[in-house]
Amino acid sequence: MPDDDILEKPFPGRRSALKRNILENALACFNELGVEATTIDTIKVRCGASVGAIYHHFGNKEGILSALFFCAQDNQRAKLTSALETAKTLKEAVHLIVKSYVDWVTSYPEWARFLFQARSAVAKGPHQQQLRERNIENYRELRELLFRLDSGANEIIQCQELLPSLIIGPAENFCRAWLSGRIQTSPLEYREQFAESAWRSIHR
């Protein structure tokens, strides 16, 4: 069963218990069967809710998919924001970005698997504009933080397309392999190496 805290904040208390139940079981279906193969009926059977209740709360399959995706994204972002509160230098911030990412993936592997497989579907679906706006805002906040720590890094920080790949790319590739079972060693074993590699890739 997925970790409760990712769903508890956006859907708190007993009144939202049905929504959480639907989403928890939908997450399991998406991870076990894949995004394409999972249907509303599949989710209905798994969670025991009626089709009417599912449509009432989430509209359709794409609504469930995006709700899960944004819940995971918000939780991941909250953990990063909390970690970055201690950063005093650009190097510390880069290290914390990478370490927070690795820590989140290893703490919530089922959610991480879902994010990897669902990103394309959400980006192409009816909630693509919402995803785009959220990503732009998240990047803007991160860029402002990094610039405050080191205004001399403006040239690198302004490169919106390149920066995430430089900082997160190597750790993300390893985490994908670990989540798929192709690599057995936990990403936690290499979080320091990933963090230092990210720093060297942007530091001039």
Side-chain angles (χ1 to χ4, degrees):
M1 190 62 65
D3 302 89
D4 291 339
D5 63 322
I6 292 181
L7 295 177
E8 185 64 37
K9 184 174 182 180
F11 302 105
R14 294 179 60 184
R15 294 186 63 180
S16 296
L18 177 57
K19 293 181 182 178
R20 293 196 304 273
N21 179 54
I22 293 170
L23 291 173
E24 287 171 359
N25 285 283
L27 175 67
C29 290
F30 286 131
N31 277 337
E32 291 172 12
L33 304 174
V35 169
E36 292 298 324
T38 297
T39 65
I40 290 293
D41 283 339
T42 305
I43 297 170
K44 176 184 77 70
V45 171
R46 179 104 184 196
C47 70
S50 68
V51 171
I54 294 173
Y55 278 108
H56 171 73
H57 289 300
F58 300 103
N60 51 28
K61 173 181 164 180
E62 287 73 22
I64 297 174
L65 194 71
S66 62
L68 285 168
F69 193 91
F70 294 145
C71 283
Q73 192 180 56
D74 287 346
N75 185 270
Q76 190 177 46
R77 183 66 186 175
K79 295 289 195 299
L80 173 60
T81 300
S82 177
L84 286 174
E85 290 177 355
T86 64
K88 300 296 190 297
T89 66
L90 182 62
K91 181 176 182 179
E92 287 180 3
V94 170
H95 273 244
L96 287 169
I97 290 169
V98 175
K99 291 177 181 179
S100 176
Y101 175 80
V102 170
D103 291 347
W104 191 87
V105 169
T106 53
S107 295
Y108 306 101
E110 294 305 308
W111 285 95
R113 287 190 185 92
F114 171 77
L115 282 183
F116 280 132
Q117 70 155 323
R119 182 175 288 114
S120 177
V122 176
K124 296 175 182 177
H127 300 274
Q128 58 181 283
Q129 183 60 32
Q130 184 179 356
L131 176 61
R132 186 178 300 112
E133 291 172 356
R134 290 165 64 94
N135 288 341
I136 290 173
E137 178 62 18
N138 287 341
Y139 180 78
R140 183 191 63 77
E141 292 176 357
L142 180 60
R143 183 182 63 189
E144 289 179 356
L145 169 66
L146 297 181
F147 186 71
R148 287 199 302 272
L149 292 172
D150 187 350
S151 60
N154 188 53
E155 180 181 348
I156 291 294
I157 292 170
Q158 293 295 332
C159 188
Q160 180 170 345
E161 294 182 349
L162 181 60
L163 190 63
S165 295
L166 290 176
I167 295 179
I168 294 296
E172 183 180 67
N173 287 339
F174 191 95
C175 287
R176 278 180 177 269
W178 176 69
L179 290 168
S180 70
R182 290 186 286 113
I183 292 175
Q184 300 303 313
T185 305
S186 169
L188 291 172
E189 295 292 325
Y190 301 116
R191 66 199 293 268
E192 289 291 340
Q193 291 94 322
F194 289 137
E196 186 59 28
S197 175
W199 170 243
R200 290 197 303 267
S201 73
I202 70 167
H203 182 59
R204 295 181 178 180

